[in-house]
Amino acid sequence: AATMNSQAAAQVLLDRGAEVNLYSAAGLGMADRVAGFDGDPSVLGRALYITCRNGHIEVAEGLLARGADINHRGFFGATGLH
């Protein structure tokens, strides 16, 4: 659901008890949940990749402020800028 930025699918899973990790929270634009996760720049960079891919600017700014690796490469070597 997070990879496809599907809020509706995510809500179905959350309603059934799915746990939200940093990557999922970032991909779904859940700024409050993302703020609760700690991680090294590489971990935060992975979250930055998906949040940029899905257009969640507020979350991206928060991750960058916390030191996310801006050049982290996700799928097929792409960065958040791609």
Side-chain angles (χ1 to χ4, degrees), residues 17-44:
E19 293 183 23
V20 179
N21 62 22
L22 173 59
Y23 187 77
S24 298
L28 294 166
M30 302 169 128
D32 58 327
R33 293 210 184 190
V34 171
F37 287 97
D38 290 320
D40 64 40
S42 179
V43 170
L44 296 176

Side-chain angles (χ1 to χ4, degrees), residues 2-81:
T3 301
M4 300 305 294
N5 200 24
S6 176
Q7 301 289 330
Q11 194 59 55
V12 168
L13 297 171
L14 292 170
D15 290 347
R16 287 170 175 71
E19 293 183 23
V20 179
N21 62 22
L22 173 59
Y23 187 77
S24 298
L28 294 166
M30 302 169 128
D32 58 327
R33 293 210 184 190
V34 171
F37 287 97
D38 290 320
D40 64 40
S42 179
V43 170
L44 296 176
R46 182 171 184 245
L48 178 65
Y49 169 79
I50 190 67
T51 202
C52 287
R53 181 176 170 193
N54 290 349
H56 302 296
I57 305 305
E58 178 186 351
V59 176
E61 289 173 340
L63 289 166
L64 288 168
R66 292 171 49 209
D69 179 1
I70 199 166
N71 293 308
H72 176 82
R73 296 203 175 265
F75 301 110
F76 304 110
T79 66
L81 183 60

